[in-house]
PDB file of all heavy atoms in Angstrom:
ATOM      1  N   LEU X 522      -8.771 -10.529  16.297  1.00 94.00           N
ATOM      2  CA  LEU X 522      -8.605 -11.962  16.063  1.00 94.00           C
ATOM      3  C   LEU X 522      -7.725 -12.555  17.151  1.00 94.00           C
ATOM      4  O   LEU X 522      -6.801 -11.904  17.637  1.00 94.00           O
ATOM      5  CB  LEU X 522      -7.960 -12.215  14.700  1.00 94.00           C
ATOM      6  CG  LEU X 522      -8.733 -11.750  13.478  1.00 94.00           C
ATOM      7  CD1 LEU X 522      -7.927 -11.994  12.209  1.00 94.00           C
ATOM      8  CD2 LEU X 522     -10.075 -12.438  13.384  1.00 94.00           C
ATOM      9  N   ILE X 573     -19.404  -6.176  10.958  1.00 94.00           N
ATOM     10  CA  ILE X 573     -18.002  -5.810  11.157  1.00 94.00           C
ATOM     11  C   ILE X 573     -17.670  -4.653  10.208  1.00 94.00           C
ATOM     12  O   ILE X 573     -18.471  -4.313   9.344  1.00 94.00           O
ATOM     13  CB  ILE X 573     -17.038  -6.998  10.901  1.00 94.00           C
ATOM     14  CG1 ILE X 573     -17.143  -7.492   9.454  1.00 94.00           C
ATOM     15  CG2 ILE X 573     -17.284  -8.123  11.898  1.00 94.00           C
ATOM     16  CD1 ILE X 573     -16.106  -8.531   9.065  1.00 94.00           C
ATOM     17  N   LEU X 577     -11.775  -4.618   9.317  1.00 93.00           N
ATOM     18  CA  LEU X 577     -11.657  -5.913  10.000  1.00 93.00           C
ATOM     19  C   LEU X 577     -11.837  -7.048   8.995  1.00 93.00           C
ATOM     20  O   LEU X 577     -11.155  -8.071   9.088  1.00 93.00           O
ATOM     21  CB  LEU X 577     -12.673  -6.022  11.140  1.00 93.00           C
ATOM     22  CG  LEU X 577     -12.686  -7.338  11.906  1.00 93.00           C
ATOM     23  CD1 LEU X 577     -11.296  -7.701  12.438  1.00 93.00           C
ATOM     24  CD2 LEU X 577     -13.693  -7.269  13.051  1.00 93.00           C
ATOM     25  N   ALA X 578     -12.708  -6.865   8.011  1.00 94.00           N
ATOM     26  CA  ALA X 578     -12.892  -7.881   6.966  1.00 94.00           C
ATOM     27  C   ALA X 578     -11.568  -8.177   6.264  1.00 94.00           C
ATOM     28  O   ALA X 578     -11.235  -9.329   6.005  1.00 94.00           O
ATOM     29  CB  ALA X 578     -13.939  -7.402   5.960  1.00 94.00           C
ATOM     30  N   GLU X 579     -10.800  -7.118   5.986  1.00 92.00           N
ATOM     31  CA  GLU X 579      -9.486  -7.311   5.352  1.00 92.00           C
ATOM     32  C   GLU X 579      -8.557  -8.138   6.234  1.00 92.00           C
ATOM     33  O   GLU X 579      -7.816  -8.981   5.741  1.00 92.00           O
ATOM     34  CB  GLU X 579      -8.837  -5.965   5.044  1.00 92.00           C
ATOM     35  CG  GLU X 579      -9.236  -5.390   3.730  1.00 92.00           C
ATOM     36  CD  GLU X 579      -8.352  -4.221   3.340  1.00 92.00           C
ATOM     37  OE1 GLU X 579      -7.985  -3.399   4.197  1.00 92.00           O
ATOM     38  OE2 GLU X 579      -8.044  -4.136   2.143  1.00 92.00           O
ATOM     39  N   LYS X 580      -8.573  -7.873   7.541  1.00 92.00           N
ATOM     40  CA  LYS X 580      -7.723  -8.644   8.462  1.00 92.00           C
ATOM     41  C   LYS X 580      -8.108 -10.116   8.456  1.00 92.00           C
ATOM     42  O   LYS X 580      -7.240 -10.996   8.461  1.00 92.00           O
ATOM     43  CB  LYS X 580      -7.836  -8.095   9.886  1.00 92.00           C
ATOM     44  CG  LYS X 580      -7.165  -6.776  10.112  1.00 92.00           C
ATOM     45  CD  LYS X 580      -7.321  -6.362  11.561  1.00 92.00           C
ATOM     46  CE  LYS X 580      -6.714  -5.019  11.856  1.00 92.00           C
ATOM     47  NZ  LYS X 580      -6.889  -4.644  13.274  1.00 92.00           N
ATOM     48  N   ILE X 581      -9.408 -10.386   8.460  1.00 93.00           N
ATOM     49  CA  ILE X 581      -9.879 -11.776   8.447  1.00 93.00           C
ATOM     50  C   ILE X 581      -9.436 -12.441   7.144  1.00 93.00           C
ATOM     51  O   ILE X 581      -8.909 -13.550   7.157  1.00 93.00           O
ATOM     52  CB  ILE X 581     -11.405 -11.839   8.616  1.00 93.00           C
ATOM     53  CG1 ILE X 581     -11.796 -11.372  10.032  1.00 93.00           C
ATOM     54  CG2 ILE X 581     -11.928 -13.248   8.347  1.00 93.00           C
ATOM     55  CD1 ILE X 581     -13.287 -11.167  10.235  1.00 93.00           C
ATOM     56  N   LYS X 582      -9.630 -11.764   6.016  1.00 93.00           N
ATOM     57  CA  LYS X 582      -9.242 -12.323   4.712  1.00 93.00           C
ATOM     58  C   LYS X 582      -7.733 -12.555   4.647  1.00 93.00           C
ATOM     59  O   LYS X 582      -7.279 -13.574   4.126  1.00 93.00           O
ATOM     60  CB  LYS X 582      -9.685 -11.382   3.586  1.00 93.00           C
ATOM     61  CG  LYS X 582      -9.248 -11.820   2.203  1.00 93.00           C
ATOM     62  CD  LYS X 582     -10.416 -12.157   1.345  1.00 93.00           C
ATOM     63  CE  LYS X 582     -10.007 -12.458  -0.082  1.00 93.00           C
ATOM     64  NZ  LYS X 582      -9.889 -13.866  -0.345  1.00 93.00           N
ATOM     65  N   GLU X 583      -6.964 -11.641   5.193  1.00 91.00           N
ATOM     66  CA  GLU X 583      -5.508 -11.782   5.207  1.00 91.00           C
ATOM     67  C   GLU X 583      -5.071 -12.962   6.074  1.00 91.00           C
ATOM     68  O   GLU X 583      -4.152 -13.692   5.721  1.00 91.00           O
ATOM     69  CB  GLU X 583      -4.881 -10.492   5.738  1.00 91.00           C
ATOM     70  CG  GLU X 583      -3.374 -10.476   5.710  1.00 91.00           C
ATOM     71  CD  GLU X 583      -2.839  -9.150   6.215  1.00 91.00           C
ATOM     72  OE1 GLU X 583      -3.182  -8.103   5.639  1.00 91.00           O
ATOM     73  OE2 GLU X 583      -2.069  -9.176   7.196  1.00 91.00           O
ATOM     74  N   HIS X 584      -5.755 -13.160   7.197  1.00 90.00           N
ATOM     75  CA  HIS X 584      -5.379 -14.231   8.117  1.00 90.00           C
ATOM     76  C   HIS X 584      -5.772 -15.613   7.601  1.00 90.00           C
ATOM     77  O   HIS X 584      -5.055 -16.581   7.823  1.00 90.00           O
ATOM     78  CB  HIS X 584      -6.002 -13.998   9.497  1.00 90.00           C
ATOM     79  CG  HIS X 584      -5.607 -15.028  10.491  1.00 90.00           C
ATOM     80  ND1 HIS X 584      -4.314 -15.144  10.956  1.00 90.00           N
ATOM     81  CD2 HIS X 584      -6.309 -16.007  11.090  1.00 90.00           C
ATOM     82  CE1 HIS X 584      -4.245 -16.154  11.808  1.00 90.00           C
ATOM     83  NE2 HIS X 584      -5.434 -16.696  11.904  1.00 90.00           N
ATOM     84  N   GLN X 585      -6.900 -15.714   6.926  1.00 90.00           N
ATOM     85  CA  GLN X 585      -7.332 -17.014   6.401  1.00 90.00           C
ATOM     86  C   GLN X 585      -7.825 -16.862   4.961  1.00 90.00           C
ATOM     87  O   GLN X 585      -9.007 -16.987   4.684  1.00 90.00           O
ATOM     88  CB  GLN X 585      -8.377 -17.654   7.309  1.00 90.00           C
ATOM     89  CG  GLN X 585      -9.578 -16.802   7.620  1.00 90.00           C
ATOM     90  CD  GLN X 585     -10.569 -17.521   8.506  1.00 90.00           C
ATOM     91  OE1 GLN X 585     -10.191 -18.221   9.449  1.00 90.00           O
ATOM     92  NE2 GLN X 585     -11.834 -17.378   8.210  1.00 90.00           N
ATOM     93  N   THR X 589     -11.891 -17.510   3.156  1.00 93.00           N
ATOM     94  CA  THR X 589     -12.668 -16.273   3.228  1.00 93.00           C
ATOM     95  C   THR X 589     -12.963 -15.730   1.840  1.00 93.00           C
ATOM     96  O   THR X 589     -12.072 -15.642   0.999  1.00 93.00           O
ATOM     97  CB  THR X 589     -11.898 -15.214   4.047  1.00 93.00           C
ATOM     98  OG1 THR X 589     -11.605 -15.754   5.326  1.00 93.00           O
ATOM     99  CG2 THR X 589     -12.717 -13.953   4.219  1.00 93.00           C
ATOM    100  N   THR X 629     -15.970 -18.494   5.230  1.00 93.00           N
ATOM    101  CA  THR X 629     -16.273 -17.195   5.821  1.00 93.00           C
ATOM    102  C   THR X 629     -16.680 -16.276   4.677  1.00 93.00           C
ATOM    103  O   THR X 629     -15.871 -15.960   3.806  1.00 93.00           O
ATOM    104  CB  THR X 629     -15.031 -16.628   6.545  1.00 93.00           C
ATOM    105  OG1 THR X 629     -14.631 -17.546   7.562  1.00 93.00           O
ATOM    106  CG2 THR X 629     -15.322 -15.281   7.168  1.00 93.00           C
ATOM    107  N   ILE X 631     -17.992 -12.627   3.597  1.00 97.00           N
ATOM    108  CA  ILE X 631     -18.080 -11.236   4.048  1.00 97.00           C
ATOM    109  C   ILE X 631     -18.680 -10.436   2.905  1.00 97.00           C
ATOM    110  O   ILE X 631     -18.142 -10.435   1.801  1.00 97.00           O
ATOM    111  CB  ILE X 631     -16.692 -10.678   4.417  1.00 97.00           C
ATOM    112  CG1 ILE X 631     -16.038 -11.546   5.509  1.00 97.00           C
ATOM    113  CG2 ILE X 631     -16.815  -9.233   4.883  1.00 97.00           C
ATOM    114  CD1 ILE X 631     -14.581 -11.218   5.773  1.00 97.00           C
TER     115      ILE X 631
END
Side-chain angles (χ1 to χ4, degrees):
L522 298 177
I573 61 172
L577 178 54
E579 274 192 320
K580 288 181 182 180
I581 292 170
K582 176 115 174 98
E583 184 178 302
H584 182 68
Q585 54 179 41
T589 304
T629 301
I631 302 170

